[in-house]
Amino acid sequence: MFEVDRRCVVVVGAQWGDEGKGKLVDVLAEQADMVVRYQGGANAGHTVVIGQDEFILKQLPSGILHPGPRCVLGNGIVLDLETFFGELDHLDRSGIATEGRVLVSERAHLVLPYHKLLDRAHERGQRIGTTGRGIGPAYEDKYGRRGLRVGDLRDLIALRPRLAMWIDRSNDLLGLLGSEERASLDEHMGLLESFTPRILGMVADTGLHIYRVIQSGGKVVLEGAQGAMLDVDHGTYPFVTSSNTTAGGAAVGAGIGPTCIDAVLGIVKAYTTRVGNGPLPTEAEAPWQERLRTLGGEFGSVTGRPRRCGWFDTPVVRYSARVNGLSHLAVTKLDVLDTIDEIPVAVAYEIDGERTTEVPADVAGLSAVRPVYETLPGWGEPITQVTRLADLPSPARHYLDRMQELVGVPIEYVSVGTRRDQIIPYTAG
């Protein structure tokens, strides 16, 4: 799946997340030397199905499920130690060897229990739709220059007074936010003391390791979390995550220069979903939304929350192609549309009677658009057993060809099921 001129590939979600990035990373990882998670925290889960087993990875890169590649948590992530080691232990119990294969950036910031308390307190008043896992407050501390980094764990004695100061600050904020919960310094220190000996064996200057692999001719996959429309700069602000999910964040979050990146693979569902609040222009009417949710199993892998469902949104994916510099697309969950006779595809928006193919930057503007739909014929037969492009029903091929034409980016892979072997290489024509 790697071409000669692609030593470093970024895999990004081109919609609102949950597009199936984990599965594509898992497929690419078979030939990779290193797989790097470059942003986000334990608020996003990548689901990979191997045979009868389903693995949901919240912190670890999806490449961990292959025996070959080393897996890296880059400086752009925020690390929840409990979740991280819980995942490692679960994989070890499941027969997936992780010993000696995982590196963690010394520059990555820590998510601590007081971040989770603040997250829940903020959410009660703001209603953004966060998962309450402390991601936003951890990034706030990072950019406020009061964060604690993984490398700080090398000296817990020096760390304690800094931690005490930030806990006192957090408790004051919790009081202002009307929360009765408070953080404890002793409990925080106990948590860090219990995990520090184990994590320090994995800590490294990970950007240097990634750079050396690329320079030696090795193959690297940079794996993002969430999707472009949740990017803190380019998404549907303020209904976004707290990091740069777009491809530009891959270089920063991995610790390498942008010229190291050779390709950007954008993952899109054959329809559209979103978790949480915020605009979703192509959100389907209740009966169709429920049908898409049921057929696609559209429930959050981390929270279990039902995803909002709608039809493919061309303006959103065209916008995502632009801000990510997408070189190729991978289309997932095409099989979910098997039983739908006529499939709407949004080709443009109408705003105040004017037609546009661009995405408004403000939430009010995007909430007010009216999608302009084109209806494509369904194929009315199951495609989960199809292994060759030539065997796809002609309406399914037409649907993909039209998607490719509308977005202006070539499709490289098509997924017709949840398993790692249900990927079809795609060649138009």
Side-chain angles (χ1 to χ4, degrees):
M1 299 243 179
F2 272 94
E3 296 181 5
V4 175
D5 61 344
R6 292 195 211 168
R7 287 182 296 175
C8 185
V9 177
V10 183
V11 178
V12 297
Q15 295 159 312
W16 274 275
D18 308 308
E19 300 95 346
K21 296 178 295 297
K23 178 179 177 180
L24 267 296
V25 171
D26 174 70
V27 169
L28 292 171
E30 189 172 9
Q31 299 178 35
D33 298 289
M34 185 170 278
V35 181
V36 183
R37 170 79 177 272
Y38 64 81
Q39 52 77 221
N43 57 335
H46 289 173
T47 303
V48 180
V49 177
I50 304 174
Q52 300 301 312
D53 297 321
E54 180 180 86
F55 296 91
I56 298 174
L57 303 172
K58 304 181 187 71
Q59 292 264 252
L60 286 164
S62 303
I64 196 70
L65 300 175
H66 284 280
R70 298 196 79 183
C71 292
V72 174
L73 280 74
N75 56 273
I77 65 103
V78 286
L79 182 67
D80 184 323
L81 290 167
E82 286 187 278
T83 301
F84 174 65
F85 284 115
E87 282 187 27
L88 280 175
D89 292 342
H90 174 71
L91 290 175
D92 288 335
R93 290 193 299 270
S94 301
I96 306 294
T98 64
E99 185 70 28
R101 295 183 53 212
V102 179
L103 294 176
V104 179
S105 173
E106 60 193 346
R107 295 177 170 88
H109 281 247
L110 294 168
V111 177
L112 296 168
Y114 66 81
H115 292 129
K116 299 176 185 179
L117 295 179
L118 287 168
D119 200 356
R120 292 195 292 268
H122 278 296
E123 179 63 18
R124 282 192 288 269
Q126 213 173 2
R127 305 308 300 169
I128 294 294
T130 74
T131 61
R133 282 166 169 75
I135 309 306
Y139 276 114
E140 286 180 42
D141 281 356
K142 173 178 178 174
Y143 292 109
R145 297 180 296 278
R146 55 182 175 267
L148 297 175
R149 305 197 297 180
V150 172
D152 294 330
L153 297 175
R154 294 185 176 116
D155 189 345
L156 290 179
I157 294 175
L159 178 148
R160 185 182 178 98
R162 292 173 59 203
L163 180 60
M165 181 166 52
W166 303 137
I167 286 178
D168 286 344
R169 177 185 180 276
S170 297
N171 284 337
D172 289 342
L173 282 174
L174 287 167
L176 290 172
L177 291 167
S179 173
E180 296 182 358
E181 296 183 286
R182 296 293 183 269
S184 161
L185 175 60
D186 288 340
E187 288 179 7
H188 276 71
M189 287 304 300
L191 176 75
L192 295 180
E193 288 166 358
S194 67
F195 287 121
T196 290
R198 193 173 175 190
I199 192 70
L200 288 183
M202 306 176 189
V203 175
D205 180 350
T206 53
L208 177 61
H209 284 265
I210 299 165
Y211 180 77
R212 285 175 173 170
V213 169
I214 295 170
Q215 290 299 301
S216 67
K219 299 177 177 63
V220 174
V221 177
L222 304 180
E223 173 185 6
Q226 289 100 15
M229 299 305 291
L230 294 178
D231 185 282
V232 69
D233 284 288
H234 303 292
T236 50
Y237 190 90
F239 300 98
V240 292
T241 193
S242 304
S243 58
N244 288 115
T245 61
T246 42
V252 176
I256 57 175
T259 54
C260 291
I261 295 170
D262 299 309
V264 182
L265 179 65
I267 316 303
V268 296
K269 281 179 180 170
Y271 48 103
T272 303
T273 65
R274 163 168 209 160
V275 171
N277 300 328
L280 185 64
T282 61
E283 189 164 10
E285 296 294 328
W288 282 110
Q289 182 163 182
E290 184 59 36
R291 183 170 176 183
L292 287 170
R293 184 181 297 125
T294 301
L295 290 171
E298 297 295 354
F299 298 89
S301 55
V302 171
T303 64
R305 288 186 295 180
R307 297 176 185 138
R308 297 157 60 195
C309 300
W311 308 110
F312 187 79
D313 189 326
T314 299
V316 159
V317 180
R318 281 174 58 88
Y319 171 74
S320 182
R322 173 167 62 84
V323 297
N324 282 291
L326 297 183
S327 54
H328 297 83
L329 293 175
V331 180
T332 63
K333 293 201 166 185
L334 184 65
D335 56 296
V336 172
L337 305 179
D338 282 354
T339 60
I340 298 177
D341 295 332
E342 294 184 327
I343 307 169
V345 172
V347 297
Y349 298 146
E350 279 190 4
I351 306 175
D352 296 328
E354 298 289 328
R355 183 163 170 158
T356 181
T357 57
E358 301 304 324
V359 177
D362 60 296
V363 165
L366 189 55
S367 299
V369 303
R370 186 175 71 83
V372 178
Y373 287 108
E374 175 181 300
T375 302
L376 299 177
W379 42 96
E381 58 181 287
I383 59 172
T384 55
Q385 302 304 315
V386 173
T387 58
R388 300 187 310 148
L389 183 64
D391 295 333
L392 277 178
S394 58
R397 280 292 306 274
H398 176 63
Y399 186 82
L400 293 167
D401 289 343
R402 183 59 176 146
M403 182 187 299
Q404 183 173 240
E405 178 184 19
L406 289 166
V407 175
V409 177
I411 295 172
E412 189 165 28
Y413 307 111
V414 178
S415 172
V416 295
T418 58
R419 300 191 314 272
R420 61 167 47 155
D421 62 346
Q422 291 176 300
I423 294 277
I424 302 171
Y426 187 88
T427 304

